[in-house]
Amino acid sequence: MTNDTTGETVTGNSEDALHEEHTGQEWQQLNSQQRLYLLTDFCKFSLPYTNPGSLESWKRVNGTQLYTVHPAEYVDEQGELHTNWLYGKIGRLLLIWISTQVMLHKADGTLTLVLPRSLNQLMREIGIERNSGKPTGNDYKRFRQSLQAVSGLHTVVTTFAGNNVSGSFTGKNFILADSTEIYWTAGTINNNSTIKLSQQTFNLIKEHSTPLDAAAVMLLTSTNPITKGRSRGQDLDLYCWLSARNYALIHSGTWQTAPITWKQLSGQFGNTYSDLHDFIKRFKNSLENVQTVWPNLNIEIIDGQGIILHRSKRSVTAKKKPTGK
């Protein structure tokens, strides 16, 4: 079963609309579409919620698929080796920003994404704003770290079917970016910061991305009273995963998933919990938040077992296909 959005397109009201600079709200509402995108592979597993530090790899399990994420590394002027992870809310929102930019510009086939000329503008575009109206010194440090982490993010996906005697094994490797150039400082910059995607990753995003509701993403990543004043990565991860799984149901002959056990869900979303009951409690809280922003979500909780997702009305309005003469 695939969770792809093959055939989804984003077309502007004019050719110039895709190349203008936009505020965060305008970016989310381009072409009057309240939608963002995320590469479907990134919907199937969750990034670390906090910095894993010197951990060599980050593993998540989705059914028979194993996702192994390796961080970027660099050496400073003193010769000290540093491990640079993409994690937390900023890491997730940057991946959504990158996927959405590809979908907006996919007709151009341009691999190089030009970032806004200021950190303040990028923060507005991905939905992070400060009461002061401008980034803090810590913001510059955190975003530089995250964008550097993007440049070295390396993911290995393996799938096994069968048993140890006979079966099939498939694997793929992909890196998010071939190169990055980041010039931000606390002052005005004169150079464009860029992320050049690999051709493979560009094609994956273009052909296999899941549409997300911009308002839902904003609410699930803000400290909003609607979502009980919390901003937790698991809420967004769950929303993205359910969006991808529901898209697969809509485009298949089935109306519901097989039961997905709490153990399976824990391996995908919460293997940092030492007690499965603690994970279940947190998962149910996250599910309540997702249902708040996606009221048409049809999901069944099976006490003592797990969940079943029933085919639901998607959280983003299906796009009308253009009619030709």
Side-chain angles (χ1 to χ4, degrees):
M1 178 182 296
T2 61
N3 299 335
D4 306 328
T5 59
T6 306
E8 290 284 336
T9 59
V10 176
T11 56
N13 296 326
S14 70
E15 187 70 14
D16 293 335
L18 297 181
H19 302 282
E20 296 172 354
E21 291 187 349
H22 298 273
T23 64
Q25 183 179 11
E26 289 169 339
W27 174 65
Q28 293 170 352
Q29 296 177 354
L30 278 176
N31 313 314
S32 299
Q33 293 292 332
Q34 295 283 340
R35 58 174 56 206
L36 306 175
Y37 290 88
L38 181 61
L39 173 63
T40 298
D41 274 313
F42 287 129
C43 293
K44 294 180 180 179
F45 73 96
S46 59
L47 289 171
Y49 299 125
T50 58
N51 191 346
S54 59
L55 195 68
E56 293 184 357
S57 64
W58 176 262
K59 300 181 187 296
R60 281 290 193 254
V61 178
N62 185 332
T64 59
Q65 288 184 317
L66 172 64
Y67 289 82
T68 305
V69 182
H70 299 277
E73 294 182 321
Y74 68 95
V75 176
D76 63 20
E77 294 178 348
Q78 287 72 42
E80 184 177 352
L81 178 66
H82 295 267
T83 301
N84 208 346
W85 282 97
L86 193 64
Y87 67 93
K89 179 170 70 173
I90 290 175
R92 287 161 169 79
L93 292 176
L94 282 175
L95 291 181
I96 291 174
W97 185 88
I98 289 170
S99 298
T100 304
Q101 292 300 307
V102 169
M103 296 300 289
L104 289 171
H105 296 273
K106 67 179 183 178
D108 302 336
T110 303
L111 301 181
T112 300
L113 305 180
V114 179
L115 280 77
R117 295 297 297 272
S118 71
L119 177 56
N120 194 17
Q121 184 181 344
L122 177 62
M123 289 174 65
R124 291 199 308 267
E125 287 195 7
I126 69 174
I128 297 177
E129 297 194 35
R130 298 291 180 241
N131 292 332
S132 64
K134 59 183 179 180
T136 66
N138 189 58
D139 287 328
Y140 283 98
K141 179 180 178 181
R142 180 74 171 85
F143 271 84
R144 277 198 301 271
Q145 179 270 330
S146 296
L147 289 165
Q148 290 166 5
V150 164
S151 68
L153 188 68
H154 173 209
T155 306
V156 182
V157 186
T158 56
T159 305
F160 181 77
N163 53 52
N164 291 329
V165 177
S166 63
S168 63
F169 175 89
T170 60
K172 67 178 179 181
N173 295 264
F174 65 91
I175 59 173
L176 192 60
D178 273 346
S179 63
T180 56
E181 295 184 10
I182 309 300
Y183 294 104
W184 280 324
T185 65
T188 303
I189 60 171
N190 297 315
N191 298 312
N192 285 325
S193 294
T194 60
I195 299 173
K196 183 181 179 183
L197 303 176
S198 69
Q199 184 68 61
Q200 177 193 19
T201 300
F202 178 88
N203 292 339
L204 280 172
I205 294 174
K206 181 178 68 172
E207 299 169 5
H208 307 298
S209 284
T210 295
L212 308 171
D213 177 59
V217 171
M218 179 184 69
L219 288 170
L220 292 173
T221 55
S222 67
T223 53
N224 192 294
I226 293 178
T227 52
K228 305 179 181 65
R230 291 190 292 259
S231 172
R232 292 179 176 170
Q234 186 170 296
D235 296 359
L236 180 60
D237 290 344
L238 182 57
Y239 168 71
C240 294
W241 176 71
L242 288 170
S243 296
R245 291 300 300 264
N246 187 60
Y247 186 91
L249 285 178
I250 292 173
H251 291 79
S252 71
T254 58
W255 286 86
Q256 65 183 49
T257 64
I260 305 169
T261 68
W262 294 123
K263 183 178 179 180
Q264 289 173 318
L265 292 168
S266 178
Q268 182 175 350
F269 292 105
N271 61 6
T272 55
Y273 288 85
S274 58
D275 190 318
L276 182 60
H277 293 290
D278 291 337
F279 165 75
I280 294 173
K281 180 180 179 180
R282 179 67 193 100
F283 183 93
K284 289 180 177 179
N285 288 338
S286 290
L287 184 57
E288 287 181 9
N289 284 344
V290 173
Q291 288 177 309
T292 299
V293 300
W294 187 358
N296 292 310
L297 179 64
N298 186 3
I299 194 165
E300 177 184 358
I301 295 179
I302 309 171
D303 289 337
Q305 296 184 46
I307 64 170
I308 293 176
L309 174 63
H310 298 269
R311 189 184 295 187
S312 308
K313 183 178 179 180
R314 66 177 73 188
S315 67
V316 272
T317 304
K319 302 185 74 172
K320 294 181 179 179
K321 294 184 178 179
T323 56
K325 294 182 179 180

